[in-house]
Amino acid sequence: MYEVKVNELAEEFGVHRNTIRNWINSGLLPAQEGPGRRYLIHWEDYKQLCEKYGREPRLIPESAAEEPVVSRTAVPVPAVRLGATAGLLATLPSQIDICQTCGSCAGACPIAGVDALDPRKIVRMAFLGMDEELLASDWPWKCTLCGKCEIVCPMHVEIVQLMHRIRARRDRATVPLPLQKGISTCLQTGNNLGIPREDFVALLQQLGKDLARSVCPGFVTPIDKTGARLLVTVNSKEPFAEPDNLTWWWRIFHAAGESWTISSENWEGVNWGLHAGDDSVMQTLARRMVDNVERLNCTALLLPECGHAYYATRYALERWFPAILQRLKIYSVFDLLLEYFNQGRIRVRPVSDKTVVTLHDSCNYGRKSLKTFGHGFFAEARTLVHSCCTKYVELVPDREENYCCGAGGGGWTSPFTAERVYHGRIKARQIRESGARLVVTSCQTCRDQLAQSLCREFNLNITVCYLWELVADCLVPTEQEQP
């Protein structure tokens, strides 16, 4: 065992004390607390850390003393000469020149070290004007834009904004193909998967008939209903692959007596312009929502897709269409469900079993909404889950400090599958250590990553469900729905 203090290890590796603590907390450096505020590190773990950062071990135990010590010859690195002006990527209001290279961001980033990715390195490269190198790298596309790095940065450098800037300046032909294809298809057809209007309408009508026969007597899917209060958008993944999932919200609307509608055209709730760093696409897709609101004379908009859809649309409306916000109420999934609860429009009966339940906080609904809009949806989600479940545990850490599932920022659709799975290892560990068997989330991408990827890769024995799915399953039937 190697017994050492945090400050001694920080001096040895030339990093800040917080970086060492972040390594230990994230599991990058397995260590256990010892006496006198010291940490005990297994020799092999210490040796691997030295090899990773090109350091000679200070201590070699007798059992390993006979191992040959590999000498390392320093490779000369050409000096970078600063010109009169910085690169385009350095012209950000985040003031990247105040970065202290402390490494806190790298210690918090779940994917730091993969293919030499390091948020600290990216910030310094941008400051030094190394635009071409950054634009040619895949680092910004392997990053999930989760913002975990920003909350630990002591200088408040806006690293996520820098990543957006790099993505935006990438030649469109070199944007990951699934993202670019989805954007092109949406611009042409009104949805990411190119579902024809007549097929979409026929599917909605059939789902409505099935729902009327089962649990919602008299239900008819309100398509293009003029004068409805609430316009609802849809993630094209659902009608394409999981159409029955749409009916969870419909059951809630029916129980609440909501006046709502779905547009038959330009109904896509996803805005991949955010992921691609393409402001023109974000603006175009947001304009289509505005057009549907005005055409159907609605006064409220619900974005029941995932964190990024809510975040992208609200950001786009506030930036380019502020006038419509004077008369249009934007609902998150939490806002609308809590409104129904508080007004007594829906009632739920908690599940009777003793299943341990936990909540995964979406980065966009939580950490990023808090930073951009001044409010993160943490308490609201917990209020709703507690209404439906009797045995609840928190993930550690949670809320603003929660770890990304690994699929955000377009990661679920990107070609970097191995990186996405590796990123999610910390989330998988959080869930396993919590003992939960049911994980609730408010993001469809998070749900797909947890249920379809992390469960399989890390042998998690869990069920994953949406927040609104949980509420729908716990609804107390109305008098009209009683058998």
Side-chain angles (χ1 to χ4, degrees), residues 24-339:
I24 294 173
N25 293 336
S26 67
L28 179 64
L29 176 59
Q32 55 184 332
E33 293 185 10
R37 295 185 179 180
R38 292 178 174 270
Y39 280 91
L40 301 177
I41 307 171
H42 283 286
W43 157 248
E44 288 298 328
D45 294 326
Y46 169 64
K47 178 183 176 184
Q48 290 179 11
L49 190 68
C50 291
E51 292 174 348
K52 180 176 181 179
Y53 291 98
R55 302 280 178 172
E56 294 291 347
R58 284 187 176 179
L59 175 69
I60 300 179
E62 293 182 2
S63 59
E66 298 180 358
E67 295 183 7
V69 178
V70 180
S71 61
R72 295 178 175 84
T73 303
V75 178
V77 178
V80 176
R81 298 186 180 277
L82 296 179
T85 58
L88 292 173
L89 295 176
T91 57
L92 285 171
S94 52
Q95 299 176 335
I96 59 177
D97 59 314
I98 63 176
C99 172
Q100 302 296 304
T101 65
C102 67
S104 295
C105 57
C109 175
I111 202 170
V114 173
D115 294 332
L117 186 156
D118 186 326
R120 169 181 47 180
K121 182 192 300 183
I122 293 171
V123 170
R124 299 308 293 170
M125 289 175 68
F127 174 65
L128 294 172
M130 301 173 67
D131 294 10
E132 292 184 7
E133 291 85 345
L134 286 174
L135 294 177
S137 76
D138 289 329
W139 293 338
W141 307 100
K142 294 175 181 178
C143 164
T144 64
L145 309 177
C146 73
K148 181 74 172 175
C149 54
E150 290 188 351
I151 66 170
V152 299
C153 176
M155 304 306 292
H156 307 292
V157 177
E158 296 182 353
I159 304 172
V160 173
Q161 188 180 152
L162 173 59
M163 292 297 194
H164 273 294
R165 175 66 68 91
I166 299 172
R167 289 189 180 197
R169 292 191 176 276
R170 186 79 171 262
D171 184 273
R172 295 298 92 183
T174 60
V175 171
L177 182 60
L179 275 179
Q180 195 58 28
K181 184 177 180 181
I183 288 172
S184 299
T185 303
C186 190
L187 292 175
Q188 294 172 10
T189 67
N191 65 89
N192 284 3
L193 293 173
I195 300 173
R197 180 182 183 278
E198 55 274 16
D199 292 351
F200 181 64
V201 171
L203 173 65
L204 297 186
Q205 292 173 337
Q206 185 57 52
L207 287 172
K209 293 177 181 178
D210 294 342
L211 195 61
R213 284 194 294 265
S214 56
V215 294
C216 297
F219 181 89
V220 176
T221 310
I223 305 170
D224 291 331
K225 179 181 176 182
T226 303
R229 184 182 85 94
L230 186 68
L231 176 65
V232 179
T233 60
V234 178
N235 180 350
S236 53
K237 175 189 76 72
E238 292 204 312
F240 182 82
E242 300 176 301
D244 288 336
N245 290 2
L246 293 169
T247 61
W248 287 318
W249 268 111
W250 298 3
R251 288 168 57 188
I252 296 171
F253 294 151
H254 186 74
E258 183 62 83
S259 171
W260 64 283
T261 188
I262 296 179
S263 174
S264 62
E265 56 188 24
N266 295 330
W267 42 265
E268 180 67 74
V270 169
N271 194 326
W272 281 359
L274 176 70
H275 297 332
D278 195 326
D279 282 356
S280 64
V281 170
M282 284 184 65
Q283 184 176 7
T284 297
L285 299 184
R287 185 188 301 277
R288 289 178 175 180
M289 286 193 187
V290 172
D291 291 342
N292 280 336
V293 166
E294 294 178 340
R295 176 174 62 87
L296 298 173
N297 194 27
C298 298
T299 57
L301 175 66
L302 175 65
L303 303 164
E305 191 271 327
C306 75
H308 106 259
Y310 168 81
Y311 181 90
T313 302
R314 180 172 173 181
Y315 171 82
L317 293 178
E318 290 186 358
R319 180 176 178 183
W320 292 298
F321 307 98
I324 196 169
L325 296 179
Q326 302 299 317
R327 64 178 185 83
L328 178 68
K329 183 177 180 62
I330 298 179
Y331 281 106
S332 71
V333 295
F334 315 98
D335 296 325
L336 189 60
L337 288 174
L338 283 177
E339 182 176 291

